[in-house]
């Protein structure tokens, strides 16, 4: 597929045309024909279950900005972003952004860090979010704000943007090669894992004391929590069997429960982790193809480095283990789950479907709507199987102008409990609020998936919507990004 073959959603004249387009692609994405505004809107229905009363179905995904200070405190940019989270009107703010539990576990030198030196500023983040939220919705009733806790594992770069310092659980035949890791590169020892688990306990206790409503024990996107799930080849207590691969989660949860009784816990789960993709090395019609293809894996079957995929075809979904994982969450009394898929590093088209690739990506190997449908289908199947869990879905931004129609249908049909906004929240945070309020939609603010918010941090710049947000457009960073794009992409 060429990106030229992909129909641009911004050019479709109305929702009927979009529905016809979905039919032509044979995609089962639910889509209502009109938006219901006001109290009758499915997106405005509160959800009460167990100890939770969440005021509506609009949710905000964690979105980090690579813009904290070197010591891990939020900067003015970070505050700006958290204000947007609040302004969205979403009553479920899932984590704000990835916050490292220790310095060595930071994904970049500008990632937020949960430690005594940053606690007051982290508390302020929550406070400004709440204030903005009240301005949009009139009250903070039913607002649930979490903090996403993470260790970046294989993707640690705590000291220099240009210096990876991976902390790995096992040798991955494809990802080790990408990171130039030699076969004797040391694995995290069980004792080091125990110390990281204690860091999670400390960070969660701090979040509880600061008034956050829950913590997310991040299990996605290639970072450490996720790497445990695919640690089939790791020996010892934290790998191998399902029990071994989920021991990290159970020990984190156990410690939090004893330090902060009653504090809520959520998990952002990567339900589908297919084989890594790269730019097609074979020449295309013009002698060069930038299209994404799966890395060759035939010599690696059965494939033992994925999760939620078939071992004999690691490009295809198999929800057996994710279902087992959700069953475990239920047993642990964890109700809050956020389903996601893929990795921003090695198969971004799965994780954040986009028309335009980031600088280190590749042209879409499929219509990005297929990626949206894949995540929606997995989320729907898991929700059906676990009706008592509070399930949030991801990867809706590519739907652009039609996002509200799809979001409303998905919630109305019970395919998902909360619709999470990722990239859209950087450009047009109030999109679903405006739609469900009956306000005029501001089309100029709709994210068109240009991917600059990914390209910028890949090149050591803060993330943000460079094309549509004036704050970045005219800035020194914006000029730097333009120079970089002209030279490299
Ligand atoms: C700039 C940027 C930062 C992100 N930061 C995080 C993060 O801190 N934690 C996380 O779990 N996901 C993060 N994501 C992934 C998003 O939460 C979301 O899953 C993804 O963008 C797909 O949703 P969308 O289609 O609504 O953008 C990030 C994505 C982008 C583009
Ligand atoms: S840079 Fe802006 S328009 Fe592009 S994907 Fe990110 S949020 Fe969307």
């Amino acid at each position: 597929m060429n990106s030229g073959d992909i129909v641009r959603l911004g050019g479709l004249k109305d929702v009927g045309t979009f529905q016809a387009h979905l039919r032509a692609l044979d995609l089962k994405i639910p889509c209502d024909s009109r938006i219901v505004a006001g109290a009758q809107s499915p997106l405005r229905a509160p959800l009460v279950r167990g100890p939770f009363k969440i005021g509506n179905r609009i949710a905000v995904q964690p979105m980090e900005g690579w813009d904290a200070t070197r010591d891990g405190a939020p900067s003015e940019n970070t505050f700006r972003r958290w204000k947007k989270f609040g302004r969205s009107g979403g009553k479920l703010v899932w984590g704000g952004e990835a916050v490292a539990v220790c310095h060595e576990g930071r994904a970049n030198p500008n990632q937020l860090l949960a430690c005594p030196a940053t606690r007051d500023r982290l508390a302020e983040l929550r406070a400004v979010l709440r204030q903005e939220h009240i301005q949009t919705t009139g009250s903070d009733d039913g607002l649930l704000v979490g903090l996403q806790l993470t260790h970046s594992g294989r993707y640690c770069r705590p000291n220099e943007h240009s210096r990876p310092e991976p902390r790995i659980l096992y040798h991955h035949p494809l990802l080790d090669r990408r990171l130039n890791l030699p076969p004797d590169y040391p694995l995290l020892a069980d004792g080091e894992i125990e110390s990281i688990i204690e860091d999670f306990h400390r960070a969660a206790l701090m979040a509880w004391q600061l008034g956050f409503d829950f913590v997310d024990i991040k299990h996605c996107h290639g970072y450490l929590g996720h790497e445990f799930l695919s640690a089939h080849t790791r020996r010892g207590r934290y790998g191998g069997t399902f029990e071994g691969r989920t021991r990290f989660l159970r020990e984190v949860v156990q410690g939090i429960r004893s330090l902060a009784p009653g504090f809520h816990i959520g998990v952002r789960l990567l339900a589908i982790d297919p084989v890594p993709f790269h730019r097609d090395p074979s020449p295309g019609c013009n002698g060069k193809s930038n299209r994404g293809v799966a890395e060759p894996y035939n010599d690696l079957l059965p494939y033992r480095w994925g999760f939620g995929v078939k071992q004999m075809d690691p490009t295809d979904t198999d929800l057996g283990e994710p279902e087992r994982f959700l069953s475990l969450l239920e047993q642990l009394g964890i109700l809050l789950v956020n389903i996601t898929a893929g990795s921003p590093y090695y198969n971004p088209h799965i994780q954040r479907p986009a028309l335009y690739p980031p600088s280190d990506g590749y042209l879409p190997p499929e219509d990005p709507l297929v990626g949206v449908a894949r995540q929606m289908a997995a989320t729907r199947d898991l929700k059906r199987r676990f009706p008592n869990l509070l399930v949030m879905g991801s990867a809706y931004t590519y739907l652009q102008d039609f996002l509200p129609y799809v979001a409303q249908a998905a919630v109305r049909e019970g395919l998902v409990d909360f619709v999470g906004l990722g990239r859209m929240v950087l450009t047009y945070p109030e999109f679903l609020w405006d739609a469900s309020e009956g306000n005029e939609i501001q089309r100029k603010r709709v994210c068109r998936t240009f991917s600059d918010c990914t390209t910028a941090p890949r090149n050591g710049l803060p993330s943000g919507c460079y094309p549509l947000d004036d704050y970045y457009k005219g800035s020194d960073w914006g000029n730097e990004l333009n120079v970089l794009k002209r030279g490299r992409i």
Side-chain angles (χ1 to χ4, degrees):
M1 160 158 302
N2 256 303
S3 59
D5 300 336
I6 298 171
V7 170
R8 279 165 174 62
L9 300 191
L12 298 186
K13 74 175 188 326
D14 56 28
V15 67
T17 321
F18 176 67
Q19 288 165 329
H21 179 52
L22 290 178
R23 281 195 295 277
L25 291 175
D26 198 20
L27 291 177
K28 307 230 165 348
I29 293 179
C31 179
D32 281 348
S33 301
R34 70 176 191 93
I35 294 294
V36 180
Q40 299 309 314
S41 164
L43 293 172
R44 292 295 181 88
L47 205 162
V48 183
R49 184 154 319 137
F52 298 105
K53 179 174 184 295
I54 304 174
N56 64 34
R57 309 309 187 88
I58 306 171
V60 178
Q61 296 289 7
M63 295 291 290
E64 66 178 312
W66 291 257
D67 53 14
T69 60
R70 284 273 167 160
D71 60 358
S75 67
E76 286 319 303
N77 279 356
T78 325
F79 277 101
R80 205 170 163 271
R81 189 169 53 262
W82 280 60
K83 283 184 184 170
K84 290 186 180 183
F85 299 160
R87 207 178 305 145
S88 68
K91 291 281 183 187
L92 175 56
V93 179
W94 188 285
E97 65 186 276
V99 179
V101 295
C102 59
H103 172 74
E104 301 70 35
R106 290 166 89 185
N108 61 81
N110 296 96
Q111 186 169 45
L112 288 177
L113 180 62
C115 66
T118 61
R119 61 180 290 145
D120 293 347
R121 296 281 280 171
L122 291 178
E124 281 175 48
L125 275 181
R126 179 182 156 275
V128 296
L129 182 154
R130 211 170 194 90
Q131 252 168 19
E132 290 285 326
H133 176 84
I134 293 172
Q135 292 223 335
T136 300
T137 67
S139 122
D140 62 357
D141 283 354
L143 172 64
L144 204 76
V145 182
L147 194 68
Q148 182 177 59
L149 300 183
T150 190
H151 184 293
S152 299
R154 191 172 283 272
Y155 296 99
C156 289
R157 287 179 189 233
N159 296 306
E160 297 295 334
H161 282 284
S162 54
R163 197 171 83 222
E165 300 180 45
R167 312 287 281 144
I168 60 172
L169 296 174
Y170 60 83
H171 286 286
H172 189 304
L174 302 174
L175 298 182
D176 279 16
R177 204 165 57 210
R178 287 185 177 213
L179 294 169
N180 293 322
L181 302 184
D184 59 351
Y185 190 83
L187 304 184
L188 271 173
D190 283 2
E192 292 174 292
I193 293 173
E194 282 159 18
S195 146
I196 291 171
I197 290 173
E198 284 171 17
D199 291 330
F200 271 86
H201 297 161
R202 269 192 294 273
L205 175 62
M206 190 172 113
W208 188 50
Q209 290 166 341
L210 296 183
F212 284 93
D213 300 298
F214 70 99
V215 278
D216 166 29
I217 311 303
K218 182 171 185 177
H219 272 69
C220 59
H221 304 162
Y223 300 110
L224 191 73
H226 158 207
E227 187 149 309
F228 278 105
L229 299 179
S230 52
H232 296 271
T233 58
R234 183 183 171 93
R235 300 223 175 95
R237 298 181 67 237
Y238 292 101
T241 59
F242 181 77
E243 204 205 348
R245 287 179 284 124
T246 54
R247 189 179 308 281
F248 166 78
L249 170 77
R250 284 181 282 115
E251 293 185 355
V252 168
V253 170
Q254 198 177 22
I256 297 176
R257 292 262 160 84
S258 67
L259 284 174
F263 190 34
H264 299 304
I265 296 175
V267 174
R268 188 158 201 219
L269 172 69
L270 181 120
I272 318 172
D273 177 23
V275 74
F277 272 59
H278 62 176
R279 283 185 192 177
D280 189 349
S282 58
C285 51
N286 56 359
K288 193 176 161 209
S289 162
N290 287 329
R291 199 174 56 98
V293 287
E295 284 203 42
Y297 56 82
N298 282 344
D299 295 346
L300 299 173
L301 298 177
Y303 186 77
R304 300 178 67 219
W305 300 273
F307 185 74
V309 288
K310 295 181 178 147
Q311 291 207 343
M312 295 313 287
D313 178 2
T315 60
D316 199 7
T317 307
D318 174 358
L319 292 179
E321 281 229 322
E323 286 185 8
R324 237 178 130 183
F325 187 84
L326 294 195
S327 222
L328 172 65
L329 293 187
E330 275 198 329
Q331 285 162 34
L332 292 170
I334 294 175
L335 291 183
L336 291 167
V337 185
N338 182 344
I339 303 296
T340 173
S343 152
Y345 300 104
Y346 55 81
N347 44 31
H349 74 287
I350 304 266
Q351 203 243 344
R352 44 186 81 157
L355 195 54
Y356 305 92
S359 57
D360 60 349
Y362 43 75
L363 293 177
E366 61 189 12
D367 190 305
L369 282 173
V370 176
V372 176
R374 184 184 294 112
Q375 290 205 42
M376 286 189 75
T379 308
R380 174 202 64 206
D381 292 351
L382 292 170
K383 173 70 200 168
R384 278 193 186 141
R385 176 90 174 68
F386 296 90
N388 292 327
L389 293 180
L390 298 170
V391 177
M392 172 162 161
S394 306
Y396 295 93
T397 290
Y398 181 74
L399 294 162
Q400 302 167 54
D401 309 74
F402 308 108
L403 198 166
Y405 298 87
V406 172
Q408 178 180 292
V411 170
R412 188 179 49 70
E413 292 179 19
L415 311 181
V416 75
D417 295 310
F418 301 96
V419 172
L421 296 182
R423 289 161 294 180
M424 192 66 79
V425 95
L426 301 181
T427 60
Y428 189 2
E430 316 86 342
F431 192 19
L432 284 181
W433 181 264
D434 275 352
S436 54
E437 187 79 357
N439 294 340
E440 193 183 334
I441 297 304
Q442 301 171 46
R443 292 199 61 216
K444 280 192 175 153
R445 295 176 66 199
V446 171
C447 166
R448 300 291 172 197
T449 68
F450 294 125
S451 290
D452 281 6
C453 50
T454 305
T455 293
R458 291 285 191 270
N459 292 287
L461 295 167
S463 179
C465 183
Y466 285 71
L468 300 183
D469 184 340
D470 289 340
Y471 181 78
Y472 295 94
K473 235 194 283 182
S475 67
D476 289 348
W477 304 313
N479 296 334
E480 206 175 318
L481 186 67
N482 282 337
V483 172
L484 280 165
K485 281 171 70 177
R486 273 200 296 274
R488 287 205 214 159
I489 301 172

